[in-house]
Amino acid sequence: MLGVNLPYWEVNTIYHVIFTIAVPIAIVNLVFPADRHRPYLGRFGLVVAAFLFVLGVALVRVSVPPLEDPGYQAPPGFIVGAVVVIIVLGLVALRWAPAQLRLDDKRTAVPAPFWLAVVAAVASFVGIGALFPLRALGARQPSFTQGWWVLLPMILVAVLCLIAIRVLSGWRNSILWTDLHTLGLIVGSLVGRMAVGMIVASGMTVEGGPTTVDRLGQAVLLVLPVALGLLAANRIRAREGDADVEDLNRVGRG
């Protein structure tokens, strides 16, 4: 069981950090560029969000475990340890999180948005696919491993994440980075995630496996990020063009 549970924990941690937190924030910043440096919530908003979070945890606790694993109770030590880890990580984030983005005056070279999207798609596909048992391809453990060999893909994916953070931090701090690069990163990661999701879903055996409708829905979700990304790219180009014209007019008036 450890050969499945440990990778499942890792892939869900990575998945939610990227697709539940980072990607939605990046999309909001692209849609409302003038407000991207403003805090999302004030003190009252934080209190409400904290209340809703606790309420959500309580709802999940009373609704999911009775259906997924009846009778199971997490050990008290595990619960206390999880709470301690959450508090420590929160304090670390508040203490060491950068207050403002630092731009690189050296104009660090940045890949074109298209190639950034391609790399993001491949990295997303490999990172998620390596930690899921692709039963449709005959795998019983992630990356076709056996027993504790599952630690190897887990370590490789963790290293891949650290390299990606290092490289993207350098590119993101460059003054050559634009909203189109951010968009390419988002679209590519979503495409890779949906591609591996289609393989994972095709290997599920719940109620006979995916139906034709399921497959069509997955195909739509694979194409949708690309279609919406192209529309967004046109809007961003038009917006940046208007900003350039406004800057020229400002210089002319000066």
Side-chain angles (χ1 to χ4, degrees):
M1 292 298 292
L2 290 176
V4 176
N5 291 340
L6 282 176
Y8 186 74
W9 166 82
E10 182 178 359
V11 73
N12 272 278
T13 300
I14 296 172
Y15 176 90
H16 288 296
V17 166
I18 296 174
F19 296 102
T20 305
I21 301 174
V23 167
I25 291 175
I27 292 175
V28 171
N29 288 342
L30 290 178
V31 175
F32 304 101
D35 298 322
R36 65 180 56 176
H37 298 299
R38 295 177 55 189
Y40 282 9
L41 300 172
R43 180 170 299 179
F44 176 75
L46 286 174
V47 172
V48 173
F51 171 77
L52 293 177
F53 174 79
V54 173
L55 178 61
V57 171
L59 291 175
V60 170
R61 176 63 186 87
V62 300
S63 61
V64 175
L67 297 176
E68 298 291 335
D69 201 351
Y72 173 77
Q73 296 291 333
F78 175 82
I79 297 176
V80 173
V83 172
V84 171
V85 170
I86 292 172
I87 294 174
V88 171
L89 291 177
L91 294 175
V92 170
L94 292 173
R95 175 63 180 82
W96 280 286
Q100 188 174 0
L101 180 65
R102 177 184 58 82
L103 295 180
D104 184 3
D105 293 334
K106 295 182 179 180
R107 301 172 66 89
T108 302
V110 178
F114 172 79
W115 292 112
L116 193 62
V118 172
V119 172
V122 173
S124 178
F125 182 86
V126 172
I128 297 176
L131 296 178
F132 264 109
L134 303 180
R135 302 187 187 279
L137 304 180
R140 297 183 62 85
Q141 284 193 174
S143 298
F144 301 91
T145 56
Q146 298 292 331
W148 286 99
W149 281 104
V150 76
L151 293 176
L152 182 58
M154 290 181 63
I155 294 172
L156 292 177
V157 170
V159 171
L160 174 64
C161 289
L162 292 175
I163 293 174
I165 292 172
R166 177 73 175 180
V167 173
L168 287 174
S169 295
W171 289 342
R172 182 63 184 87
N173 290 337
S174 172
I175 59 176
L176 298 179
W177 184 278
T178 67
D179 285 348
L180 288 175
H181 292 92
T182 301
L183 180 65
L185 197 62
I186 294 172
V187 172
S189 61
L190 289 173
V191 169
R193 174 256 179 272
M194 289 308 306
V196 72
M198 292 179 67
I199 299 176
V200 171
S202 64
M204 293 181 177
T205 57
V206 178
E207 297 181 357
T211 64
T212 301
V213 174
D214 295 329
R215 297 183 188 278
L216 288 175
Q218 293 165 2
V220 170
L221 291 177
L222 182 62
V223 175
L224 194 60
V226 178
L228 294 178
L230 292 174
L231 292 174
N234 291 331
R235 294 290 299 271
I236 291 173
R237 290 191 185 98
R239 186 174 69 200
E240 291 178 347
D242 293 340
D244 292 339
V245 171
E246 184 177 346
D247 291 340
L248 289 174
N249 292 334
R250 188 180 299 110
V251 171
R253 290 193 298 269

